[in-house]
Amino acid sequence: MITKVDQWLQPLFLLTMLASWDRSLSYTSSSNPIKSRRSNVESKSSAERDSLRRRGPSALPARSTQHLSPLSPPFPNGQCGGTVITLPAEEMYSTKGDGLLSVLSLPATVSNFMLTPRDISVWLPKEYDFVEFKRVDFPVLYCHDGQNAYEDSSSWTGSSWRMIGALTRLYERDMIEIPPIVVMIPSADGDIMPGLRRRHAEYGDMTLPFSQAHGEFVAEKLHPYVKNRFRVKDGPENVSAIGSSLGGQASLQLVLRYPETFGGVACMSPCFQVGTIASVMANVVNGGFDTNSTGENLRDLSVILSKASNLYSSKEKLRNNHKSLHSKTIYIDNGGDRDESKVPFFDVMDHFTMNDKWWNPGYFWLDTQLQPTIDAVRWALDRGGVEYWYEKFPGARHNERAWAQRIHSPLLTLYGKTRQP
């Protein structure tokens, strides 16, 4: 018997198969990153591209780039002259639930079961305290798995993304207008029950209460707090999210659930699940309205394609609609096998780490395994005429060392003065 859930799941599985087949025709064999962006972006002038990326002009001090070596990873470890401020758990997590958690005025013990309290770190670039920047507001970047973002010794694999080092090098070379404030949200530790990791629930599919509670916390509690405490630029064009693996899915969900708050997203080796793919499709179909829908309009694949085709002709209108993915800056990448470029079963460098995590497994299979769902999201974006940046890194592993080698790519997409070469 076909259930109601089956009726809309079937088009999703068909979509995934079509996307995988479609992508297999377009890849080429290469040891270098494979870059893809829709041709109508490539044809824009520099001024139009800057407008698309929504970076407004600002009178910032000029910087000299003389005597600087070309940009190249690995980037520096640590906070690179900036300041890291801790937002204590007791200050960030209220005694009663808000929104989703307040239906029955849930006490702290119940709301803390949904989202375990933890300290959150905020990195302020060193320029934040410079006299010439005292009247300057900064963009803000929310980072999932924040404990892995910038300091090797705090990362669970002993290697971090080196994101702060990359931002510092990009700014030194005048490749970004201004470094963002980075809010590093650590993932939850432990299990909800045997076999169900808290991180997997908080960063899980769109329909999970834990992931809904996490998104609500970031958008409705954490972001207003950050805006009130720090000099943050207003508007979704200045608020972005970044994450890897399931953290990439959680980042995309922030854009889908709170489009009037978040305008940019970077997903490195993302693990997209069915509900998230469905929400992308719903956004494309509905032009940004009812982005949490996974119901009636997803049951007929032909209806999806027809509506997406009609929306393609009104992209200019959709770019001005904050609820539409057409108005967002979107970056997606992944590694994995591609033709003769294979992920090695073992990489000895994964086990020379800056802490005791010598057992780092490297996850050699995972980026290849995640390719079909990444292709499904790309297929939906393509059919809806949504502009985005995608890079394929053949042979790259699914861990922090691999992401550290390309962390400048998502940062340039979100903050670069010009599009990537």
Side-chain angles (χ1 to χ4, degrees), residues 345-358:
F345 174 77
F346 178 78
D347 186 342
V348 67
M349 293 305 296
D350 280 340
H351 306 280
F352 286 90
T353 63
M354 295 299 292
N355 60 16
D356 60 351
K357 309 301 183 188
W358 55 267

Side-chain angles (χ1 to χ4, degrees), residues 112-332:
N112 290 348
F113 172 76
M114 294 288 288
L115 298 177
T116 54
R118 71 211 75 161
D119 292 345
I120 295 172
S121 299
V122 177
W123 177 77
L124 303 177
K126 60 184 179 182
E127 291 77 16
Y128 188 87
D129 293 321
F130 288 179
V131 173
E132 58 268 37
F133 284 82
K134 283 298 183 181
R135 302 178 69 87
V136 174
D137 293 337
F138 289 71
V140 60
L141 176 62
Y142 289 88
C143 176
H144 289 100
D145 291 318
Q147 74 275 15
N148 302 329
Y150 77 102
E151 174 57 59
D152 290 349
S153 61
S154 68
S155 172
W156 56 28
T157 64
S159 299
S160 73
W161 301 352
R162 305 282 184 98
M163 182 167 67
I164 300 306
L167 284 170
T168 303
R169 291 291 184 261
L170 290 170
Y171 182 66
E172 289 172 350
R173 285 155 179 77
D174 201 26
M175 299 175 74
I176 60 176
E177 188 72 36
I178 189 172
I181 293 170
V182 182
V183 181
M184 293 168 284
I185 311 166
S187 54
D189 289 328
D191 297 341
I192 296 173
M193 61 181 68
L196 178 57
R197 300 289 296 170
R198 283 194 171 276
R199 176 180 178 271
H200 295 173
E202 287 187 13
Y203 295 175
D205 212 351
M206 288 285 288
T207 55
L208 290 180
F210 290 90
S211 71
Q212 294 173 26
H214 167 75
E216 183 179 277
F217 169 76
V218 176
E220 298 185 4
K221 178 67 181 288
L222 180 57
H223 182 58
Y225 180 95
V226 169
K227 284 177 62 179
N228 289 333
R229 181 165 176 179
F230 304 105
R231 299 195 309 274
V232 172
K233 285 184 177 181
D234 199 18
E237 63 272 19
N238 298 304
V239 183
S240 300
I242 187 172
S244 62
S245 195
L246 279 171
Q249 172 171 256
S251 299
L252 180 58
Q253 288 177 5
L254 288 176
V255 171
L256 291 166
R257 285 191 169 115
Y258 300 95
E260 295 183 338
T261 299
F262 294 88
V265 60
C267 309
M268 298 185 294
S269 301
C271 177
F272 293 136
Q273 295 173 315
V274 171
T276 302
I277 298 171
S279 292
V280 172
M281 294 166 63
N283 187 287
V284 170
V285 169
N286 295 324
F289 297 97
D290 191 22
T291 56
N292 288 310
S293 171
T294 56
E296 296 291 336
N297 56 0
L298 297 176
R299 293 181 180 174
D300 190 337
L301 187 59
S302 64
V303 173
I304 294 171
L305 299 179
S306 174
K307 288 187 175 183
S309 177
N310 292 336
L311 286 172
Y312 189 85
S313 62
S314 58
K315 286 186 297 178
E316 195 60 42
K317 179 180 178 181
L318 292 172
R319 286 194 193 106
N320 297 321
N321 172 14
H322 284 316
K323 292 185 178 181
S324 170
L325 288 175
H326 289 79
S327 71
K328 308 305 179 184
T329 300
I330 302 171
Y331 172 93
I332 301 171

Side-chain angles (χ1 to χ4, degrees), residues 330-345:
I330 302 171
Y331 172 93
I332 301 171
D333 75 20
N334 70 306
D337 295 343
R338 175 55 55 193
D339 297 330
E340 67 271 13
S341 296
K342 306 294 185 183
V343 181
F345 174 77

